[in-house]
Every structure is written in structure tokens, then in C-alpha cells.
């Protein structure tokens, strides 16, 4: 299957672990295995799928740390690990190097840390979803550069600050969810 570019097996009640061999398909650009019951760790072999532009592993039963090998997938425009409640680890600063990234969804996981300042380089990012996670701290400065952002979902995360006024500069923003203090006087 050297020419296989897309594998979409969403919602098929798959219940095994993901075979590492799937990441050895040279032309694979889209892998979507969402809404199944896949178990175990995300295979470290994911880092070999260098042609991937879309990786959707949401709503499964993955456990353990997000593999650092994901950092090698610099062509990704879509990365969704949401809904894997036992998935742990940190938000990788290397995702800030994914200059094509348009959607990053890490909601409903046990991923923790702060949003790295390197994410200010994700100028193509349209959706950032990290709701119901252990992500916290402050929203880093530089987010005003993310002018393509249309959806931000920080609800249920652990931010300790009011929303910075520079967030009002995100003119494409159509949906914003946040649990915290809103300085509405500074937004217009």
C-alpha cells in the first residue's frame, strides 16, 4: 500500500492498540481513528509518519504520556488528541514549530503545563481547544499575533489570570470559552 494517503476509521468501535506499522506507510497524510475504543499508549512509531498533515486520535482510551516523537510531525495542520481522559504529559513547546498547524485539540485529557510562548509562532492556527485539562498558568503574551484564531476553548482549564486585553485584538475570533475573570471593559 505505498500509495495509501488516507486512513479514516472513525466510529468503528475498534478496541485494540494502534499497530505501529501503520506509521510506516510512506504516503500517509491523514490518519483519523477517532471515536473508537483504542487502548494503550500512542505508539512512539508515530514519529516515522513524516508525511502526516492530519492526525486525529480523539475520543479513545489512550493512556500514558503523549509521545515526544509527535514533535517530528512538523507538517501537521490538524492534531486532535481530545477525549483521551487518561492521556498525560506536557504541552510540547515543539508544537510551536508546526507552522502549518491550523487545529490543535487537547481537551478532556490529563495533559498539564502552561501554554508555551512558542505558540505565538502558530500564525495559521484557527482552533485552539484545551478545555478541561490541567493546563494553567497565564495566557502567554504574543497571542495577539494569532490573527487567524477563530475558536479558543479554555473552559475548565486552570488559568490563574484575567483574560489579557491583547486577546481583544484577535479579530477573527468567533467563539471564546473561558472560565475565569473577564475584563469586559477592555474588549470591543
Amino acid at each position: 500500500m505505498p500509495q495509501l494517503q488516507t486512513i479514516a476509521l472513525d466510529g468503528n468501535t475498534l478496541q485494540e492498540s494502534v499497530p505501529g506499522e501503520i506509521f510506516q506507510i510512506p504516503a500517509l497524510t491523514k490518519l483519523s481513528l477517532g471515536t473508537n475504543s483504542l487502548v494503550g499508549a500512542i505508539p512512539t512509531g508515530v514519529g516515522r509518519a513524516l508525511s502526516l498533515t492530519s492526525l486525529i486520535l480523539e475520543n479513545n482510551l489512550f493512556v500514558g504520556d503523549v509521545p515526544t516523537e509527535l514533535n517530528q510531525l512538523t507538517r501537521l495542520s490538524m492534531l486532535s488528541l481530545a477525549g483521551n481522559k487518561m492521556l498525560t504529559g506536557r504541552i510540547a513547546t515543539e508544537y510551536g514549530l508546526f507552522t502549518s498547524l491550523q487545529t490543535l485539540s487537547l481537551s478532556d485529557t490529563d495533559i498539564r503545563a502552561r501554554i508555551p510562548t512558542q505558540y505565538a509562532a502558530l500564525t495559521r492556527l484557527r482552533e485552539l481547544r484545551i478545555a478541561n485539562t490541567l493546563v494553567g498558568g497565564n495566557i502567554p503574551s504574543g497571542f495577539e499575533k494569532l490573527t487567524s484564531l477563530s475558536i479558543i476553548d479554555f473552559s475548565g482549564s486552570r488559568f490563574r489570570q484575567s483574560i489579557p486585553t491583547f486577546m481583544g485584538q484577535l479579530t477573527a475570533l468567533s467563539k471564546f470559552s473561558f472560565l475565569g475573570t473577564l475584563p469586559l471593559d477592555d474588549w470591543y
Side-chain angles (χ1 to χ4, degrees):
M1 296 186 284
Q3 299 304 314
L4 185 62
Q5 294 179 353
T6 300
I7 297 175
L9 298 173
D10 302 273
N12 279 296
T13 61
L14 301 175
Q15 298 180 346
E16 300 294 324
S17 58
V18 177
E21 295 80 14
I22 202 166
F23 301 112
Q24 295 177 5
I25 301 170
L28 189 64
T29 58
K30 181 178 181 182
L31 178 60
S32 187
L33 302 174
T35 315
N36 283 294
S37 295
L38 295 168
V39 297
I42 297 172
T44 57
V46 68
R48 290 188 301 237
L50 299 177
S51 296
L52 274 182
T53 59
S54 180
L55 180 60
I56 303 169
L57 300 176
E58 62 194 28
N59 300 318
N60 279 290
L61 302 171
F62 290 116
V63 298
D65 285 348
V66 176
T68 57
E69 288 79 4
L70 269 178
N71 302 344
Q72 298 170 36
L73 306 181
T74 58
R75 293 183 182 175
L76 284 179
S77 63
M78 163 67 149
L79 175 60
S80 180
L81 304 176
N84 289 288
K85 296 185 188 316
M86 301 297 286
L87 197 58
T88 57
R90 304 184 74 70
I91 294 182
T93 57
E94 290 83 0
Y95 297 167
L97 302 174
F98 294 4
T99 56
S100 298
L101 197 62
Q102 296 177 18
T103 300
L104 178 60
S105 183
L106 304 173
S107 297
D108 299 306
T109 64
D110 272 346
I111 292 174
R112 60 185 68 232
R114 298 172 185 252
I115 298 176
T117 56
Q118 290 88 340
Y119 284 27
L122 299 174
T123 56
R124 294 185 183 172
L125 194 64
R126 293 184 186 154
E127 295 183 33
L128 178 59
R129 299 174 186 266
I130 54 173
N132 304 312
T133 64
L134 300 174
V135 174
N138 295 323
I139 298 169
S141 62
F143 257 54
E144 69 273 12
K145 298 174 188 171
L146 304 180
T147 56
S148 296
L149 267 175
S150 61
I151 297 173
I152 299 175
D153 189 354
F154 291 163
S155 58
S157 292
R158 298 183 178 199
F159 291 100
R160 297 187 310 246
Q161 73 184 89
S162 298
I163 298 169
T165 56
F166 66 73
M167 297 288 282
Q169 297 175 32
L170 302 178
T171 56
L173 198 60
S174 62
K175 179 181 179 186
F176 183 73
S177 299
F178 180 82
L179 183 60
T181 305
L182 293 174
L184 295 177
D185 295 341
D186 298 325
W187 282 53
Y188 48 93

